Amino acid sequence: MNINLTLLGQAIAMAVFVWFCMKYVWPPLVQIIEERQQQIADGLAAADKGARSYEEAQTRIATLVEEARSQARTIIDQAQLRANDIVDEARSGAEQERERIIQAGKADIEQQINRARDELRSQVAAVAVAGAEKILAREIDARAHQDLLDKLVAQI
Amino acid sequence: MSAELHTPADYIRHHLTHLQVCKTDEGWVWNHCDGNFMAVNVDSMFFSISLLIFLSWLFRRVVVNATKGRPGRLQAMVELVYDVVDSSVRGTFHGKSKLIAPLALTIVSWVFMMNLLDLIPVDFVPYPVEQSGLAKYLRIVPTADVNVTFGMSLSVFALVIFYSIKMKGAGGFLAELTMNPLNPKTLGLPLLAWPLVIAFNFLLESVALLAKPLSLALRLFGNMYAGELMFILIALLGVWQLPLHFPWAVFHILVITLQAYIFMMLTIVYLSQAHEHH
C-alpha cells in the first residue's frame, strides 16, 4: 500500500464526475421526478374531484327522479279527472240523444196513427154506403143522404 | 493459477500487486516502483475511470430518455438511487448547496460500482490478461487500493475545509479549531493561561478533523482489501473453495452496498458539519 500519484488522478476523476453529475444528471433528474410528483398529485386531485362530482350527480339524480315521479303523479291524476269528465259528457250526450230519438219516434207513430185513422174513416164511409146499397138493393141518392152519412162517419 | 506461481504466498502476492508505471531517473518504467510517489496504479485508474465513463453514459442515457409518465426499469432504478441519495441529503444537510446532492450521488454510485468488481472471481480478469501478455499484474477492485479511497476522502476533506472557511470565515474556522471544547473566555481564565488552553483545543480539534478523511478512506479500503484477500485465500483451497466462495460472496454483497452507503452518508455528515455554526 504505497501512496502515489494514483491518489491525485482519482481526485481529478472524481471532480470531473461530480461536475458531470451536477450539470447533466442531477438537475434533469430532479425536474423529471418533480414533474411526475406533480402529475401524480394532479391525478389524485382529479380522482377526488371525480368522486365528489359523482356524489353530487347522485344526489341530483335522486331529486330529479323524485320530481319526475311527483310530476307523473299529477299528470296521471289530471288525466283521470279528464277521463271522468269525458265519460260523463259522453253519457249525458248519449242520454239526450236517446231522449230525442224516442221523442221523434213517438211523434212519427202519432202521425201515422192519425193518418191511418183518417184513411180508415174515409174508407168506412165508403164501406157503409156500399153496405147500405147492398142491403137496400136499391139506389140511394148519395147526395140526398149525405147528411145521414156524415152523421154516421162522425159516430165512428 | 499461473504456472510460475508455485507457492500460495506467491499467488497471494501476485494478486495483491498493482500494475504500476512510475517515473524514475531512467524514464517511465513498469512495476518497479516501491516507495516512489511518482507512480500510477494503472489498473486502479483504468477500472475506476472506465466505471465513471459507464456511469456517465448510463445516467445521461436515463436522463435523456426519461419520461415523466410511467418510467422504464432503468429509469426506475436510477430514480431509486436518486431517492435514497435525496432523502439522505435532505435528512442530514439543512443548508442550501447545489454540490452536495450530486456529490453524494457520485460517491454512492461510483463506490458501489467499484466495490461490485470484487464479486468477479479473483482469477477471471487477471489471468487472461496475463496470459495474453498485456500486463503482468492486475487488480480490478479500485476501492481495495488505498490511493483510490484516499483520493476520494481527501477530495471530501478539501471540500470540508473549503465550506468551513466559506461559511464561517477563516477566523470562524480558526476559532472553531482553537476555542473548543474548552472556551477560555467563558471559563474566565486569566490571559496568561490562554495559550495553553488554545494549544490543547487545537490539538484535540485537529486530530478530530484529520481523523475524518483518514477514517473515511481506511474504512472503505480496509473492508474491500479484506474482502479481496478472503476471496484470494478461498481461491487457494482448490475444490473446497466451492462451498466457501458462495457464502462469502453473498455476505460481501452486503458489505459492498453498506460501504458505499456509509461513504456517502459520512460525506454528507461532514459537509453539513462544515456548514453549521457552533
Side-chain angles (χ1 to χ4, degrees):
Chain A
M1 73 178 252
N2 295 309
I3 300 290
N4 57 34
L5 266 188
T6 311
L7 190 155
L8 214 62
Q10 190 71 17
I12 293 166
M14 180 168 158
V16 170
F17 190 51
V18 169
W19 168 82
F20 180 83
C21 276
M22 245 171 97
K23 188 123 184 168
Y24 297 110
V25 174
W26 194 262
L29 214 56
V30 170
Q31 195 193 339
I32 285 156
I33 288 172
E34 275 173 1
E35 270 173 26
R36 164 128 23 85
Q37 279 172 337
Q38 188 56 47
Q39 216 174 33
I40 290 169
D42 288 352
L44 288 177
D48 248 19
K49 214 171 118 187
R52 225 175 304 122
S53 69
Y54 172 77
E55 260 170 43
E56 274 169 23
Q58 211 73 337
T59 54
R60 220 173 112 64
I61 286 168
T63 55
L64 277 179
V65 164
E66 197 44 53
E67 234 168 71
R69 201 168 278 153
S70 72
Q71 237 165 22
R73 213 174 292 127
T74 53
I75 287 170
I76 288 169
D77 287 353
Q78 275 173 353
Q80 223 141 25
L81 282 177
R82 179 103 186 83
N84 286 348
D85 281 359
I86 287 169
V87 168
D88 285 352
E89 248 169 58
R91 184 172 290 144
S92 68
E95 260 162 22
Q96 278 174 3
E97 187 67 13
R98 188 187 66 168
E99 207 60 32
R100 200 179 59 77
I101 288 169
I102 289 170
Q103 290 302 321
K106 271 187 184 161
D108 216 24
I109 291 165
E110 199 83 6
Q111 224 175 354
Q112 281 192 7
I113 288 172
N114 286 344
R115 201 181 304 140
R117 193 176 280 158
D118 285 351
E119 218 166 289
L120 202 61
R121 235 175 237 154
S122 60
Q123 277 175 10
V124 163
V127 167
V129 172
E133 262 174 10
K134 270 179 191 161
I135 292 163
L136 294 174
R138 63 179 181 183
E139 268 206 67
I140 295 167
D141 189 1
R143 232 174 295 162
H145 298 91
Q146 190 67 44
D147 57 329
L148 199 72
L149 288 171
D150 282 349
K151 224 179 266 173
L152 196 69
V153 167
Q155 271 177 358
I156 294 168
Chain B
M1 258 193 258
S2 326
E4 67 266 27
L5 300 174
H6 301 295
T7 65
D10 282 343
Y11 179 77
I12 293 169
R13 198 174 302 120
H14 183 257
H15 269 286
L16 291 180
T17 308
H18 280 289
L19 177 65
Q20 281 183 321
V21 63
C22 55
K23 197 182 178 189
T24 60
D25 297 335
E26 299 111 54
W28 293 89
V29 295
W30 292 87
N31 299 326
H32 296 285
C33 304
D34 274 356
N36 189 346
F37 179 75
M38 295 298 284
V40 175
N41 293 348
V42 176
D43 44 5
S44 295
M45 290 309 290
F46 173 78
F47 283 106
S48 61
I49 290 175
S50 300
L51 286 175
L52 268 194
I53 291 168
F54 170 71
L55 279 176
S56 305
W57 170 81
L58 184 78
F59 284 172
R60 192 62 200 157
R61 205 181 92 103
V62 165
V63 165
V64 168
N65 296 333
T67 61
K68 59 179 176 171
R70 188 175 160 275
R73 277 164 197 270
L74 196 63
Q75 191 188 340
M77 201 187 75
V78 172
E79 283 177 9
L80 212 66
V81 176
Y82 163 90
D83 239 23
V84 170
V85 171
D86 192 52
S87 59
S88 302
V89 170
R90 273 176 213 283
T92 311
F93 182 77
H94 302 297
K96 263 190 184 169
S97 173
K98 274 193 181 139
L99 172 80
I100 189 159
L103 176 71
L105 177 67
T106 301
I107 286 173
V108 77
S109 56
W110 195 21
V111 170
F112 178 76
M113 291 304 285
M114 290 195 286
N115 289 355
L116 203 60
L117 292 181
D118 211 1
L119 290 182
I120 300 174
V122 287
D123 280 316
F124 268 36
V125 183
Y127 187 66
V129 167
E130 192 187 354
Q131 290 302 301
S132 66
L134 273 174
K136 195 161 178 244
Y137 302 104
L138 193 71
R139 287 179 64 187
I140 63 168
V141 188
T143 40
D145 178 357
V146 77
N147 289 296
V148 170
T149 57
F150 264 115
M152 289 195 291
S153 78
L154 289 179
S155 302
V156 171
F157 184 62
L159 282 174
V160 168
I161 304 275
F162 172 75
Y163 278 112
S164 292
I165 293 173
K166 191 186 167 198
M167 300 306 288
K168 302 159 192 169
F173 182 48
L174 267 182
E176 201 176 271
L177 283 179
T178 52
M179 306 301 265
N180 268 320
L182 299 174
N183 192 334
K185 213 184 282 175
T186 49
L187 285 175
L189 291 174
L191 215 58
L192 207 65
W194 279 37
L196 198 68
V197 175
I198 284 173
F200 174 74
N201 283 341
F202 184 68
L203 193 71
L204 220 61
E205 284 294 309
S206 49
V207 165
L209 189 68
L210 292 174
K212 285 175 183 176
L214 205 66
S215 66
L216 202 57
L218 289 182
R219 179 183 301 108
L220 180 59
F221 163 73
N223 272 283
M224 299 320 294
Y225 190 82
E228 198 189 13
L229 196 60
M230 278 299 287
F231 277 124
I232 295 168
L233 291 176
I234 288 169
L236 274 171
L237 295 176
V239 80
W240 290 106
Q241 69 180 288
L242 292 174
L244 283 174
H245 184 274
F246 175 72
W248 181 243
V250 171
F251 175 69
H252 217 58
I253 293 174
L254 190 71
V255 174
I256 282 166
T257 319
L258 201 64
Q259 287 305 319
Y261 181 74
I262 287 172
F263 203 108
M264 176 199 76
M265 208 56 219
L266 284 177
T267 302
I268 298 170
V269 168
Y270 292 159
L271 282 175
S272 76
Q273 279 174 355
H275 277 72
E276 274 164 13
H277 289 270
H278 288 288

